Each structure stands twice: as structure tokens, then as C-alpha cells.
Amino acid sequence: MTSPARRHFERVSAAQAAADAGDAPMQGEAYELMQAALFEDYRRLKATQSMEKKAEIKREILPNYADYVTGVLEAGQGAQDDVLMRVMLWRIDAGDLPGAIAIAKYAIKHGLTPPDQFERGTAAIIAEEVANQALKQLDEEGADTTALLVYLVDVEVLTRDADMHDQIRAKLHKALGYACRAAGQLEEAQVNLERALSLNDRIGVKKDLERLERELKQNAAAQPKG
């Protein structure tokens, strides 16, 4: 287990490196050490076929990058940082949506780009991958639907003005709709599912939207008159 002194050193070193880099690409010893660690972890993940096992590995290794990320977010001026962007993606896969969104806000503010193998922009990636993870968690028993709704609203606001494929934005509104429904916000659920359907008529929400409309009509009919 890393000592508090070591963690403090890693955070301060990362903050200093991020401040020194300005808006040039990230560099320095702290960054190079994280790059080396990331390379080894990436090789380990590439050698693993099970997606479930990959997510377990990510949950295991992510704490090793936490202090670096904290330092960069505290003092960074927008330097392109492939370690930071990779950690953002791993956090989503590991189910750490608030941790991923914290990086996403910094990345979108400063125009950071994702790793080379991704054809989508940062906003599109965060919208689609958070939506996928939220939809997965909503299917799990005991999901914290209120928290998921907060995260999805954060992402929708964060990416609202970004250019992305309609299918991606449709998926985000589908996740928002289901999260609203799970939280008992039926009218908001209807708005988001209708938006998802308008963006992609094959998004797979028609039957759920019909059920939701019937439920809203029943609720309205049950309201006392006058």
C-alpha cells in the first residue's frame, strides 16, 4: 500500500509537471513514470479476453493513478495528456462515473483529444461510454438510480453543444430516459425517450415509451378533479 508521503509526492509532482507544461503536450518525470506504468497495465489488459475480468483489473489498477490525476486536475493548464485520457476511459469501464466525469470536464474545457485509436472526439466518447455504463448499471439489482441520473445529467450538459453522431446522442437520451423512469420522474423520462427516438428511430425505446405514455395517462386520470 502506498504511504501518505508517497501519495502526496505523486500528487505534487503531477501538479508541478502539469503547470510547467502549460498548454504544450504533457512531459516530465511524473508523466513518464505514469506512461511506463500505463504501458505495462495496457499490455496486461490486452492479454485478457474477458470483459468482466478487464473491468476487475481496471478497478485494481486505477488507484495507482489517482494521485497523478488529482495533481493534474488541480494545476493543469490544458496540456495534452494521454495518461489522463486513458484513465478517464478506464474509470468508465470500471464503473467509476464520477471519477471519469471529473476528468471529462477538464478534457472538454481544454480540448484534450482521446488516444489515437479512437475515431470519436472526447465529447462523443464520454457521452456514449457513460450512457453504456449507466444502462448496464440500471439493469443491475440495487443500482443507485438517483446517482446515475445525476451523472447522466452532468454528461448531457457537458456535451450538449458538441458535434457528434445523432446515434450517440440518442443513446445518451435513452439512458437519461431510463434513469428518470427508475427515479420516478415519468414526465422527464418521456421527454428524453422521445428525444432519443427522434434522433434514432432504431434506438429501441418505442415499446417502453408507449408503456410510459399509458402510465402517465393513468396517473392523470387518477388525479382528483377540481
Side-chain angles (χ1 to χ4, degrees):
M1 186 175 179
T2 308
S3 70
R6 180 66 190 176
R7 292 188 58 192
H8 175 75
F9 174 77
E10 289 179 356
R11 179 178 63 79
V12 171
S13 298
Q16 187 63 56
D20 289 346
D23 59 2
M26 192 68 169
Q27 55 188 313
E29 184 180 358
Y31 178 65
E32 289 167 5
L33 285 171
M34 287 295 101
Q35 270 193 316
L38 188 139
F39 178 74
E40 291 302 320
D41 288 335
Y42 187 73
R43 284 208 313 177
R44 180 182 173 194
L45 287 162
K46 288 288 284 184
T48 304
Q49 295 185 13
S50 164
M51 297 306 292
E52 185 178 41
K53 182 64 176 174
K54 283 179 189 282
E56 289 176 10
I57 293 171
K58 287 169 185 174
R59 283 190 285 271
E60 173 195 327
I61 63 179
L62 277 168
N64 300 332
Y65 299 89
D67 297 298
Y68 174 84
V69 169
T70 299
V72 172
L73 296 185
E74 282 177 354
Q77 305 298 309
Q80 176 61 35
D81 187 330
D82 291 346
V83 171
L84 192 69
M85 297 304 285
R86 180 64 63 183
V87 170
M88 181 187 78
L89 296 168
W90 285 355
R91 282 182 172 180
I92 298 172
D93 294 339
D96 179 11
L97 296 185
I101 292 167
I103 297 175
K105 288 177 178 178
Y106 174 88
I108 289 175
K109 176 183 177 181
H110 293 292
L112 271 62
T113 57
D116 290 341
Q117 68 265 42
F118 288 89
E119 297 178 358
R120 297 162 292 167
T122 298
I125 288 174
I126 195 76
E128 184 166 25
E129 298 306 324
V130 168
N132 284 338
Q133 181 62 228
L135 288 167
K136 177 185 173 184
Q137 291 188 27
L138 283 166
D139 280 339
E140 296 171 357
E141 191 173 343
D144 188 344
T145 55
T146 302
L148 286 172
L149 181 54
V150 169
Y151 305 148
L152 287 163
V153 169
D154 262 2
V155 169
E156 195 282 322
V157 172
L158 184 64
T159 62
R160 186 176 294 168
D161 297 328
D163 183 33
M164 66 182 73
H165 291 299
D166 290 342
Q167 292 91 332
I168 294 175
R169 199 172 296 282
K171 188 177 290 184
L172 178 58
H173 281 284
K174 176 180 180 177
L176 267 165
Y178 287 165
C180 286
R181 183 182 65 182
Q185 300 179 19
L186 302 188
E187 291 180 358
E188 291 85 351
Q190 181 184 30
V191 168
N192 279 289
L193 293 183
E194 286 176 345
R195 178 64 175 144
L197 190 60
S198 73
L199 289 164
N200 179 8
D201 61 6
R202 302 178 68 182
I203 193 66
V205 301
K206 288 181 182 178
K207 290 184 178 179
D208 286 320
L209 189 53
E210 289 168 3
R211 279 193 285 268
L212 193 58
E213 288 167 349
R214 286 197 297 270
E215 190 174 350
L216 282 164
K217 286 179 182 177
Q218 290 168 0
N219 289 351
Q223 292 296 319
K225 302 292 189 293

Coordinates of all heavy atoms in Angstrom, one line a residue, residues 38 42 45 58 62 65 81-93 103 113-118:
L38 N 1.3 2.8 -17.2 CA 0.2 2.6 -18.1 C 0.5 1.6 -19.2 O -0.3 0.7 -19.6 CB -0.3 3.9 -18.7 CG -1.6 3.9 -19.5 CD1 -2.4 5.1 -19.2 CD2 -1.3 3.8 -21.0
Y42 N -1.6 -1.7 -19.7 CA -2.3 -1.8 -21.0 C -2.0 -3.2 -21.6 O -2.8 -3.9 -22.2 CB -1.9 -0.7 -22.0 CG -2.7 -0.6 -23.2 CD1 -4.0 -0.2 -23.3 CD2 -2.1 -1.0 -24.5 CE1 -4.7 -0.2 -24.5 CE2 -2.8 -1.0 -25.6 CZ -4.1 -0.5 -25.6 OH -4.8 -0.5 -26.8
L45 N -4.0 -5.8 -19.9 CA -5.4 -5.8 -20.3 C -5.5 -6.4 -21.7 O -6.5 -7.1 -21.9 CB -5.9 -4.3 -20.2 CG -6.1 -3.8 -18.8 CD1 -6.2 -2.2 -18.9 CD2 -7.4 -4.4 -18.2
K58 N -9.1 -3.2 -14.1 CA -9.1 -1.8 -14.1 C -9.4 -1.2 -12.7 O -8.8 -0.2 -12.2 CB -10.1 -1.2 -15.1 CG -9.6 -1.4 -16.6 CD -10.7 -1.1 -17.6 CE -10.1 -1.4 -19.0 NZ -11.2 -1.3 -20.0
L62 N -6.5 1.2 -11.1 CA -6.9 2.6 -11.1 C -6.4 3.4 -9.9 O -6.0 4.6 -10.1 CB -8.4 2.8 -11.4 CG -8.8 2.7 -12.8 CD1 -10.3 2.7 -12.9 CD2 -8.3 3.9 -13.6
Y65 N -3.2 5.5 -10.2 CA -3.1 6.7 -11.0 C -3.9 7.9 -10.3 O -3.8 9.0 -10.8 CB -3.8 6.5 -12.4 CG -3.0 5.4 -13.2 CD1 -3.4 4.1 -13.1 CD2 -2.0 5.7 -14.0 CE1 -2.7 3.1 -13.8 CE2 -1.3 4.8 -14.8 CZ -1.7 3.4 -14.7 OH -1.1 2.5 -15.4
D81 N -2.7 15.1 -22.6 CA -2.2 14.1 -21.6 C -2.8 12.8 -21.9 O -4.0 12.5 -21.5 CB -2.5 14.6 -20.2 CG -1.9 13.8 -19.1 OD1 -1.7 12.6 -19.3 OD2 -1.7 14.3 -18.0
D82 N -2.1 11.9 -22.5 CA -2.6 10.6 -22.9 C -2.9 9.7 -21.7 O -3.8 8.8 -21.7 CB -1.7 9.9 -23.9 CG -1.7 10.6 -25.3 OD1 -2.6 11.4 -25.5 OD2 -0.8 10.3 -26.1
V83 N -2.1 9.9 -20.6 CA -2.3 9.1 -19.4 C -3.7 9.5 -18.8 O -4.5 8.6 -18.5 CB -1.2 9.3 -18.4 CG1 -1.6 8.7 -17.0 CG2 0.1 8.7 -18.9
L84 N -3.9 10.7 -18.7 CA -5.2 11.2 -18.2 C -6.4 10.7 -19.0 O -7.4 10.3 -18.4 CB -5.2 12.8 -18.2 CG -6.3 13.5 -17.4 CD1 -6.1 13.3 -15.9 CD2 -6.2 15.0 -17.7
M85 N -6.3 10.8 -20.3 CA -7.4 10.4 -21.1 C -7.6 8.9 -21.0 O -8.8 8.4 -21.1 CB -7.1 10.8 -22.6 CG -7.0 12.3 -22.8 SD -8.5 13.2 -22.2 CE -9.6 12.8 -23.5
R86 N -6.6 8.1 -20.9 CA -6.7 6.7 -20.8 C -7.4 6.3 -19.4 O -8.3 5.5 -19.4 CB -5.4 6.0 -20.9 CG -5.4 4.5 -20.8 CD -6.2 3.8 -21.9 NE -5.6 4.0 -23.2 CZ -6.1 3.5 -24.3 NH1 -7.3 2.9 -24.3 NH2 -5.6 3.7 -25.5
V87 N -7.0 7.0 -18.4 CA -7.6 6.8 -17.1 C -9.0 7.1 -17.1 O -9.9 6.4 -16.5 CB -6.8 7.6 -16.0 CG1 -7.6 7.5 -14.7 CG2 -5.4 7.0 -15.8
M88 N -9.4 8.2 -17.8 CA -10.8 8.6 -17.9 C -11.6 7.4 -18.5 O -12.7 7.0 -18.0 CB -11.0 9.8 -18.8 CG -12.4 10.2 -19.0 SD -12.6 11.6 -20.3 CE -12.5 10.6 -21.8
L89 N -11.1 6.8 -19.6 CA -11.8 5.7 -20.2 C -11.9 4.4 -19.3 O -12.9 3.8 -19.2 CB -11.1 5.3 -21.5 CG -11.2 6.4 -22.6 CD1 -10.2 6.1 -23.7 CD2 -12.6 6.6 -23.1
W90 N -10.8 4.2 -18.6 CA -10.7 3.0 -17.7 C -11.7 3.2 -16.5 O -12.3 2.3 -16.1 CB -9.3 2.8 -17.2 CG -8.4 2.2 -18.2 CD1 -8.7 1.7 -19.4 CD2 -7.0 1.9 -18.0 NE1 -7.6 1.2 -20.1 CE2 -6.5 1.3 -19.2 CE3 -6.1 2.2 -17.0 CZ2 -5.2 1.0 -19.4 CZ3 -4.7 1.8 -17.2 CH2 -4.3 1.2 -18.4
R91 N -11.8 4.5 -16.1 CA -12.7 4.7 -15.0 C -14.2 4.4 -15.4 O -15.0 3.9 -14.6 CB -12.6 6.2 -14.5 CG -11.4 6.4 -13.6 CD -11.3 7.8 -13.1 NE -10.2 8.0 -12.1 CZ -10.0 9.1 -11.5 NH1 -10.6 10.2 -11.8 NH2 -9.0 9.2 -10.6
I92 N -14.5 4.8 -16.6 CA -15.9 4.4 -17.1 C -16.1 2.9 -17.1 O -17.1 2.4 -16.6 CB -16.1 5.0 -18.5 CG1 -16.0 6.5 -18.5 CG2 -17.5 4.6 -19.0 CD1 -16.1 7.2 -19.9
D93 N -15.1 2.2 -17.7 CA -15.3 0.7 -17.8 C -15.3 0.1 -16.4 O -16.0 -0.9 -16.2 CB -14.1 0.2 -18.5 CG -14.0 0.6 -20.0 OD1 -15.1 1.0 -20.5 OD2 -13.0 0.5 -20.6
I103 N -12.6 14.1 -14.9 CA -11.6 14.2 -16.0 C -12.2 14.8 -17.3 O -11.6 15.6 -17.9 CB -10.9 12.9 -16.3 CG1 -10.1 12.3 -15.0 CG2 -9.9 13.0 -17.5 CD1 -9.5 11.0 -15.2
T113 N -7.7 15.6 -26.6 CA -8.1 14.6 -27.5 C -7.9 13.1 -27.0 O -7.0 12.9 -26.2 CB -7.4 14.7 -28.9 OG1 -6.0 14.6 -28.7 CG2 -7.7 16.0 -29.5
P114 N -8.7 12.2 -27.4 CA -8.6 10.8 -26.9 C -7.3 10.1 -27.5 O -6.7 10.7 -28.5 CB -9.8 10.1 -27.3 CG -10.3 10.9 -28.5 CD -9.9 12.3 -28.3
P115 N -7.0 9.0 -27.0 CA -5.9 8.2 -27.6 C -6.1 7.9 -29.1 O -7.2 7.9 -29.6 CB -5.9 6.9 -26.8 CG -6.4 7.3 -25.5 CD -7.5 8.3 -25.8
D116 N -5.0 7.7 -29.8 CA -5.0 7.7 -31.3 C -6.0 6.7 -31.9 O -6.5 6.9 -33.0 CB -3.6 7.3 -31.8 CG -2.6 8.5 -31.6 OD1 -3.1 9.6 -31.4 OD2 -1.4 8.2 -31.6
Q117 N -6.3 5.5 -31.2 CA -7.1 4.5 -31.9 C -8.6 4.9 -31.8 O -9.4 4.1 -32.4 CB -6.9 3.1 -31.2 CG -7.4 3.0 -29.8 CD -6.3 3.3 -28.8 OE1 -5.5 4.2 -28.9 NE2 -6.3 2.5 -27.7
F118 N -8.9 6.0 -31.2 CA -10.3 6.3 -31.2 C -10.7 7.3 -32.3 O -10.0 8.3 -32.4 CB -10.7 7.0 -29.8 CG -10.7 6.0 -28.7 CD1 -9.6 5.7 -28.0 CD2 -11.9 5.3 -28.4 CE1 -9.6 4.7 -26.9 CE2 -12.0 4.4 -27.3 CZ -10.8 4.1 -26.6

